[in-house]
Amino acid sequence: KAGVTQTPRYLIKTRGQQVTLSCSPISGHRSVSWYQQTPGQGLQFLFEYFSETQRNKGNFPGRFSGRQFSNSRSEMNVSTLELGDSALYLCASSSGSTTYEQYFGPGTRLTVT
Amino acid sequence: GESVGLHLPTLSVQEGDNSIINCAYSNSASDYFIWYKQESGKGPQFIIDIRSNMDKRQGQRVTVLLNKTVKHLSLQIAATQPGDSAVYFCAENGDPGTYKYIFGTGTRLKVLA
């Protein structure tokens, strides 16, 4: 089975811009979670999508949003970028129902200047 | 590569020795735990998991121990190899029944030749 894929791998944006990141989960998995990883805060949960619905949400401002499509692919969007949004954004794939195992993609490295 | 954490605790072990990485988790209600390995520039890689109704689980060269009394997890790696050098994270499903995971701060494992 192919693993979790994320695009793009690297992005450089300017403050105030917006960005959209994409994630394709493992085939057959219906749950996609997003995490932000920074040296200072570590890995923090952003939100989880299952069957095109946001099922869980972390403690991030409304500038962070996401969606999931009928093929389980997911996107996350960050609007009005701030310098502090520079991070590695990780997508994790899970079955969504039968097991709690969670597998990560390689991440998208976002740099905000 | 990118720095996962600038001030992570570091465990240095000789090649061939056994490694023990510890983690204190936060929620006594957590009922599922995962250990991840993260190499520089990559996403976290699933190593082994354990449910709260178990106190020990073994994989290939790895063993996870769970002590619910003191909310403590450990990952034991037998015959540590240079390829084991990475940052190791424990994750708990702090909201049982969901995929909303809480991650530890991580431990950097350095294998000395």
Side-chain angles (χ1 to χ4, degrees):
Chain A
K1 270 188 183 177
V4 181
T5 58
Q6 291 187 246
T7 56
R9 293 294 314 279
Y10 301 92
L11 265 180
I12 300 175
K13 291 286 188 178
T14 305
R15 265 185 307 176
Q17 289 186 314
Q18 73 159 9
V19 67
T20 299
L21 313 181
S22 181
C23 170
S24 291
I26 293 168
S27 177
H29 282 189
R30 296 168 62 194
S31 167
V32 173
S33 298
W34 289 90
Y35 291 82
Q36 181 195 66
Q37 185 175 34
T38 59
Q41 299 297 318
L43 269 153
Q44 293 187 290
F45 175 83
L46 279 155
F47 30 66
E48 182 224 355
Y49 284 86
F50 176 79
S51 291
E52 302 178 64
T53 302
Q54 187 181 89
R55 191 161 64 169
N56 288 287
K57 190 176 188 305
N59 298 321
F60 278 81
R63 299 186 298 107
F64 292 82
S65 62
R67 59 177 176 168
Q68 187 180 36
F69 302 95
S70 58
N71 61 357
S72 294
R73 189 177 70 85
S74 176
E75 290 181 346
M76 69 162 280
N77 184 277
V78 188
S79 62
T80 320
L81 284 165
E82 300 176 0
L83 295 179
D85 296 333
S86 294
L88 181 67
Y89 289 89
L90 292 157
C91 163
S93 165
S94 305
S95 70
S97 55
T98 55
T99 73
Y100 286 103
E101 295 174 13
Q102 188 171 83
Y103 299 91
F104 282 87
T108 294
R109 169 68 60 183
L110 172 65
T111 301
V112 182
T113 62
Chain B
E2 299 91 358
S3 173
V4 171
L6 296 179
H7 303 292
L8 291 175
T10 299
L11 174 67
S12 297
V13 299
Q14 288 293 138
E15 182 179 354
D17 286 353
N18 296 334
S19 303
I20 300 176
I21 300 170
N22 296 304
C23 174
Y25 64 91
S26 60
N27 188 349
S28 57
S30 295
D31 63 3
Y32 179 72
F33 307 86
I34 304 174
W35 277 101
Y36 287 95
K37 170 187 179 183
Q38 187 173 26
E39 297 173 281
S40 184
K42 297 184 178 180
Q45 175 190 347
F46 182 105
I47 303 173
I48 191 168
D49 60 354
I50 189 167
R51 295 189 179 276
S52 61
N53 61 355
M54 305 171 70
D55 52 22
K56 180 179 179 178
R57 188 155 189 240
Q58 289 184 288
Q60 187 176 9
R61 277 202 312 119
V62 294
T63 300
V64 55
L65 299 178
L66 174 63
N67 184 330
K68 293 182 288 293
T69 303
V70 294
K71 294 191 293 183
H72 183 268
L73 271 171
S74 68
L75 176 71
Q76 300 177 0
I77 304 174
T80 312
Q81 303 169 358
D84 295 328
S85 292
V87 176
Y88 290 81
F89 294 96
C90 67
E92 61 180 298
N93 68 337
D95 195 354
T98 76
Y99 291 85
K100 188 175 178 180
Y101 286 92
I102 301 170
F103 280 77
T105 52
T107 296
R108 188 180 306 279
L109 176 65
K110 286 188 177 178
V111 181
L112 309 172

